[in-house]
């Protein structure tokens, strides 16, 4: 019997009416002869609401208790879906993260260390449907854990890998992966197929349609992923290995997609010593504090006394980064720290870049022609990212989308 995982995001689970609709989709797959496990998100907006309560309870809160609070959103929707499926005459039951168990490495943004699929085997033997709250795991101490924002995607893929599913379907509020966020560029084009590698890069630079870790997992297990709409019956986007796309050179663009990430904050240190070892003294305390540094730009000081270093960190880590640097001020030796959160990272991604020069040049030219100043740049083999002022987000995404020939006809 074919086995599938169906994952439903927050918008798809927002309210009884939508849950009933989701139950209908699950029923249809079960009646087609599939063994089905369903992974659900909390209702749209619920996780934000729960996080806000934690913030109101205390400015610095215990991650263990944070997990107890925020994991509850998924507990509610999984129970409601199971009840709805039962009402349709199906043998459905919910299983919390600790009941499988889904083992997580720690609190607040835990990594999945393993899933025991034995419970599910029992469910399938009895022709049952398992409904599992996404985002939720259990630590080795038996405490509830959560997997980071958007983590239900990762729950779904990890579960699919553990139960050796034939496919993992991610149902969401758009009907597939587009060349850019269709809510920003209405002329964005739906992609029939994307490679794991491209999707991984797109997700990591801000295409939030899939959590980055879920794509990494799918790639590692070679798990076919499908992104599709839970509202419309349309073909979605398949995310597959490179070798499954034979016609890519004939049909596809050099650039697959444009993404943006508003979650970057800029840190500038002035008056640094122009000598070996300065950078190591700056980045060591950041690494020790587990802060990911992304873009880095170094320049000579305007007046010639010392160097200036600018880099970006996730906005959520900004306060930590500043604290770590202030603490190491004596050792590093700098005049001042400046921060700026009014920036956005815009990226162009495509495996075609490997065999095509001039992508960065075209990107700079396109943005320059619109008067958009580039603050920092980073590149990888299949990606060029630029940091710009956030006021230009939409304009930059739109003009790059057009310049790289991605607009729908
Ligand atoms: P869910 O709650 O179902 O997990 P998300 O809000 O996490 O849904 O992800 C879906 C959203 O991702 C879409 O509504 C869309 O605005 C956004 N998005 C960003 N980039 C893309 C892209 N390249 N293709 C499709 N959707 C995208
Ligand atoms: N509910 C969680 C979040 O909003 C997990 C998810 O939806 O994937 O981040
Ligand atoms: Mg999501």
């Amino acid at each position: 019997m074919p086995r599938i995982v169906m994952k439903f995001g927050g918008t798809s689970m927002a309210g009884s009416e939508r849950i009933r609709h989701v139950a209908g989709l699950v029923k249809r797959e079960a009646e087609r002869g599939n063994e089905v496990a369903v992974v659900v998100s909390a209702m749209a907006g619920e996780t934000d609401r729960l996080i806000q309560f934690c913030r109101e309870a205390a400015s610095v809160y215990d991650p263990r208790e944070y997990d107890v609070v925020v994991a509850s959103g998924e507990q509610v929707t999984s129970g409601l879906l199971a009840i709805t499926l039962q009402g349709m005459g199906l043998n459905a039951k919910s299983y919390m993260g600790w009941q499988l168990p889904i083992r997580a490495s720690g609190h607040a943004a835990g990594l999945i260390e393993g899933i025991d699929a034995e419970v599910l085997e029992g469910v399938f033997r009895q022709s049952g449907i398992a409904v599992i709250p996404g985002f939720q795991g259990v630590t080795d101490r038996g405490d509830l854990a959560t997997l980071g924002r958007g983590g239900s995607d990762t729950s779904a893929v990890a579960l699919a890998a553990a139960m050796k599913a034939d496919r993992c379907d991610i149902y969401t509020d758009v009907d597939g992966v587009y060349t850019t966020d269709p809510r920003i560029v209405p002329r964005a084009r739906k992609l029939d197929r994307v490679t794991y590698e491209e999707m991984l890069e797109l997700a990591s630079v801000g295409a939030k349609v899939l959590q980055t870790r879920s794509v990494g997992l799918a790639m590692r297990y070679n798990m076919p992923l499908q992104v599709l709409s839970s509202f419309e019956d349309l073909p979605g986007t398949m995310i597959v290995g490179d070798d499954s796309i034979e016609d890519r050179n004939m049909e596809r663009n050099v650039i697959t997609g444009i993404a943006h990430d508003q979650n970057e904050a800029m840190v500038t240190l002035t008056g640094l010593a122009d000598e070996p070892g300065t950078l190591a003294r700056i980045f060591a305390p950041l690494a020790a504090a587990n802060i990911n540094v992304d873009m880095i730009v170094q320049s000579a000081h305007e007046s010639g006394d010392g160097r200036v270093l600018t880099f970006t960190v996730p906005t959520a880590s900004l306060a930590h980064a500043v604290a770590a640097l202030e603490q190491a001020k004596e050792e590093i030796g700098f005049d001042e720290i400046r921060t700026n959160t009014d920036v956005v990272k815009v990226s162009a991604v495509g495996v075609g870049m490997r065999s095509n020069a001039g992508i960065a040049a075209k990107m700079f030219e396109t943005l320059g022609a619109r008067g958009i100043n580039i603050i920092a740049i980073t590149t990888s083999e299949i990606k060029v990212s630029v940091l710009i002022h956030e006021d230009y987000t939409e304009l930059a995404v739109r003009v790059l989308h057009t310049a790289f020939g991605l607009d729908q006809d």
Side-chain angles (χ1 to χ4, degrees):
M1 245 188 183
R3 265 188 190 182
I4 58 169
V5 169
M6 303 173 79
K7 180 259 168 176
F8 295 91
T11 320
S12 315
M13 297 300 292
S16 305
E17 196 65 38
R18 292 190 181 169
I19 293 178
R20 217 178 336 274
H21 178 70
V22 162
L25 297 176
V26 173
K27 183 167 188 247
R28 185 174 72 179
E29 290 298 342
E31 287 176 351
R32 281 177 179 162
N34 292 298
E35 290 177 333
V36 184
V38 190
V39 173
V40 294
S41 285
M43 295 190 196
E46 180 63 6
T47 308
D48 289 339
R49 195 177 76 95
L50 295 169
I51 292 174
Q52 187 55 31
F53 279 130
C54 292
R55 291 199 180 120
E56 285 166 18
S59 55
V60 179
Y61 42 79
D62 177 2
R64 179 185 184 276
E65 304 310 330
Y66 163 92
D67 280 346
V68 168
V69 175
V70 299
S72 67
E74 272 74 6
Q75 174 160 337
V76 170
T77 48
S78 56
L80 288 174
L81 180 60
I83 294 173
T84 311
L85 287 165
Q86 288 169 5
M88 292 175 160
L90 293 160
N91 174 20
K93 205 167 155 184
S94 64
Y95 296 88
M96 301 298 101
W98 56 269
Q99 285 174 307
L100 288 179
I102 297 174
R103 283 176 283 117
S105 64
H107 288 294
L111 303 175
I112 296 181
E113 290 182 327
I115 298 181
D116 193 341
E118 214 24 64
V119 173
L120 295 177
E121 294 299 339
V123 173
F124 296 143
R125 271 196 295 276
Q126 293 173 18
S127 309
I129 295 172
V131 184
I132 294 139
F135 189 47
Q136 199 184 91
V138 59
T139 67
D140 54 7
R141 310 173 102 190
D143 292 327
L144 256 174
T146 60
L147 307 173
R149 298 308 305 270
S152 296
D153 296 331
T154 301
S155 307
V157 177
L159 203 68
M163 63 187 236
K164 299 193 168 47
D166 297 283
R167 201 178 71 229
C168 180
D169 290 341
I170 308 285
Y171 288 84
T172 182
D173 55 6
V174 283
D175 60 351
V177 177
Y178 279 72
T179 47
T180 195
D181 189 338
R183 297 189 195 284
I184 291 205
V185 180
R187 276 181 299 180
R189 206 153 19 94
K190 183 159 84 177
L191 299 162
D192 296 335
R193 282 166 178 257
V194 190
T195 65
Y196 291 125
E197 201 185 2
E198 285 171 317
M199 193 63 235
L200 193 62
E201 199 85 69
L202 276 171
S204 74
V205 293
K208 73 158 188 167
V209 61
L210 288 172
Q211 198 199 35
T212 311
R213 280 157 53 200
S214 73
V215 186
L217 258 185
M219 185 164 159
R220 179 160 357 128
Y221 288 95
N222 214 13
M223 175 61 61
L225 260 189
Q226 182 173 207
V227 175
L228 67 174
S229 167
S230 59
F231 299 98
E232 292 172 288
D233 217 351
L234 293 168
T237 299
M238 288 301 306
I239 297 138
V240 291
D242 208 2
D243 47 3
S244 312
I245 301 184
E246 315 88 15
D247 54 357
R248 63 170 318 120
N249 291 332
M250 285 175 68
E251 283 202 342
R252 292 167 62 99
N253 279 305
V254 174
I255 298 299
T256 304
I258 311 287
H260 73 280
D261 189 354
Q262 225 128 15
N263 219 1
E264 298 259 329
M266 202 164 84
V267 180
T268 300
L269 295 178
T270 65
L272 294 161
D274 198 357
E275 63 186 29
T278 303
L279 294 184
R281 289 197 299 275
I282 294 167
F283 290 119
L286 296 175
N290 227 348
I291 293 164
N292 277 323
V293 173
D294 183 11
M295 307 171 115
I296 303 172
V297 192
Q298 194 179 210
S299 57
H301 197 274
E302 304 91 59
S303 56
D305 53 346
R307 290 191 305 198
V308 177
L309 182 79
T310 296
F311 57 87
T312 63
V313 296
T315 309
S317 308
L318 181 61
H320 269 113
V322 171
L325 292 167
E326 287 286 7
Q327 208 174 15
K329 185 168 184 181
E330 286 283 291
E331 207 183 321
I332 299 169
F334 58 83
D335 288 344
E336 60 167 336
I337 302 184
R338 291 185 216 135
T339 62
N340 184 352
T341 52
D342 304 333
V343 289
V344 63
K345 184 171 73 172
V346 178
S347 310
V349 173
V351 290
M353 265 185 218
R354 288 201 178 108
S355 44
N356 280 272
I359 300 299
K362 186 164 178 174
M363 203 162 166
F364 304 156
E365 206 178 284
T366 307
L367 296 174
R370 292 299 182 129
I372 301 172
N373 187 37
I374 297 169
I375 306 163
I377 303 155
T378 125
T379 65
S380 80
E381 215 187 351
I382 65 165
K383 174 199 78 186
V384 181
S385 301
V386 295
L387 193 73
I388 60 171
H389 195 280
E390 70 175 356
D391 285 354
Y392 295 109
T393 309
E394 273 192 55
L395 178 64
V397 171
R398 214 157 18 83
V399 295
L400 290 172
H401 196 265
T402 305
F404 287 114
L406 297 173
D407 287 356
Q408 205 168 36
D409 301 330

